[in-house]
Amino acid sequence: MTPQSSSYPLRVLVVAADPVVAGPLEALIAPLTSIAALRVPTPAAAAAARASMPIDAILVDLALTGDDEIADLCRQSGDPGSVAVVGLLRHDCRLRTSEALHAGAQECLVITDLTPARLERSLRQALERQRVQQRLADLALRDDLTGLYNRRGVLALGEYQRRQCLRSGRTLVVVQVDVDGLKTINDTWGHQAGDQAIAATASILRCTFRESDIVGRVGGDEFLAIAVDAEAAAVHRVQKRLAQALAAHNRRQTAPFELSFSTGTSVLIPPSAPTLADLIGRADCELYRAKRAERRPIAEWLPPVTATVPVPVAAA
């Protein structure tokens, strides 16, 4: 009997090069009209395929895939947790199953135990568990006031992007932002006004940086943006967009204070491999140098482009 299709098709990426696994798996998927599958031979090929198309689940041959590669498959495309990874075993192995689950896989299946119906059911259940876990994890990584990532979220995602940049040779930029005079705002007009200043800064950053960038609130008046693939010509564009958004906010807002914030940046250019803490520290130092040098709003401060100035990412 041909298994019945469910209400929506599953888009599945199969990572398997060995015919011992690939052949039986293709035979299991063939009668399932509810699954659209694409097979690639390596995790690297899976990364490229996933970047070019939407994927719901990944079936991966655990005999040819390391734990780091499994973890990367769970987090690729800048959207951690969006894809359920299911491991395939040639025979039952508790140790390999445990290792794969700890690396982020939702389930491990012994290929000889599968039927088409069981394979589809396992994939759908794994995807639903992944989505529930992601919703819970997202709540733990979000700042309640702004909806941006909190410190834990920024650091976790930023460290992942740092490692990816070192592997691929791409540039990573850290932008530190600090709201000017937040204590004065709180003391003079109350904490509700301070919350308005924080929320407004978050809105400006959200519309300035790309959706693929990591933007978060890491302290009371501190924000951090982490972006990949910056260009030298982007510094004035980003600073100009920040200045324009800030000026527009101050023109239309009705609060009794004018919003202002300061920025500092740092850059990772492989093969140089500073830690994320180093990058944040450098951006922080630049930010406070700017604060000490001049306390004008950012709308009046556009630093010159020089070979030594780290470069923020261009917004799309």
Side-chain angles (χ1 to χ4, degrees):
M1 178 182 295
T2 301
Q4 296 298 310
S5 298
S6 297
S7 57
Y8 63 94
L10 278 177
R11 297 159 297 190
V12 178
L13 192 60
V14 178
V15 185
D18 191 336
V20 172
V21 171
L25 189 58
E26 289 175 352
L28 287 166
I29 293 173
L32 296 171
T33 57
S34 57
I35 291 181
L38 171 68
R39 183 165 70 88
V40 295
T42 65
R50 187 174 169 187
S52 64
M53 66 184 71
I55 296 294
D56 295 310
I58 300 176
L59 283 165
V60 55
D61 182 1
L62 294 179
L64 303 178
T65 309
D67 293 342
D68 288 344
E69 292 171 317
I70 293 173
D72 286 345
L73 286 172
C74 296
R75 295 178 299 209
Q76 284 165 358
S77 300
D79 187 12
S82 63
V83 171
V85 175
V86 175
L88 293 171
L89 296 162
R90 291 163 168 77
H91 55 81
D92 192 16
C93 177
R94 291 185 179 181
L95 176 60
R96 189 68 190 100
T97 296
S98 176
E99 291 172 344
L101 294 176
H102 277 89
Q106 276 294 329
E107 188 172 358
C108 294
L109 304 172
V110 178
I111 193 165
T112 54
D113 292 343
L114 291 175
T115 64
R118 184 184 175 192
L119 175 61
E120 180 182 358
R121 183 170 62 250
S122 295
L123 287 171
R124 292 190 181 277
Q125 290 173 349
L127 180 58
E128 185 59 29
R129 285 195 301 272
Q130 187 73 13
R131 288 172 173 169
V132 170
Q133 290 176 7
Q134 184 58 30
R135 285 195 292 270
L136 294 174
D138 195 53
L139 289 174
L141 299 178
R142 293 285 177 180
D143 175 63
D144 290 339
L145 177 60
T146 64
L148 299 177
Y149 287 113
N150 59 22
R151 184 177 188 84
R152 179 189 302 173
V154 169
L155 295 182
L157 297 175
E159 176 58 21
Y160 169 71
Q161 286 289 6
R162 187 188 73 89
R163 294 199 310 268
Q164 291 294 99
C165 286
L166 291 176
R167 291 178 183 176
S168 62
R170 295 179 297 166
T171 301
L172 179 139
V173 168
V174 172
V175 182
Q176 185 98 2
V177 177
D178 189 271
V179 180
D180 295 329
L182 184 62
K183 184 178 186 302
T184 299
I185 294 172
N186 285 329
D187 292 346
T188 306
W189 294 286
H191 285 275
Q192 184 175 0
D195 287 350
Q196 291 175 351
I198 292 169
T201 302
S203 179
I204 290 170
L205 294 176
R206 189 182 288 110
C207 72
T208 299
F209 289 91
R210 303 168 300 184
E211 288 188 12
S212 58
D213 298 332
I214 302 164
V215 182
R217 181 186 176 205
V218 295
D221 57 357
E222 298 176 355
F223 295 81
L224 194 67
I226 299 174
V228 177
D229 290 336
E231 299 175 356
V235 61
H236 279 305
R237 277 202 305 276
V238 170
Q239 294 286 8
K240 184 176 180 180
R241 286 172 67 94
L242 282 170
Q244 289 173 338
L246 181 59
H249 167 80
N250 283 326
R251 284 195 301 269
R252 66 175 179 266
Q253 60 90 27
T254 58
F257 58 87
E258 185 174 81
L259 182 65
S260 174
F261 50 75
S262 302
T263 66
T265 64
S266 64
V267 63
L268 180 155
I269 303 176
S272 175
T275 66
L276 184 60
D278 289 337
L279 292 166
I280 293 172
R282 295 173 192 175
D284 202 46
C285 287
E286 183 181 297
L287 183 152
Y288 282 100
R289 282 197 298 270
K291 278 184 176 287
R292 288 193 299 269
E294 196 166 10
R295 291 184 175 273
R296 287 183 292 165
I298 193 172
E300 301 176 19
W301 176 71
L302 291 177
V305 181
T306 70
T308 61
V309 176
V311 182
V313 70

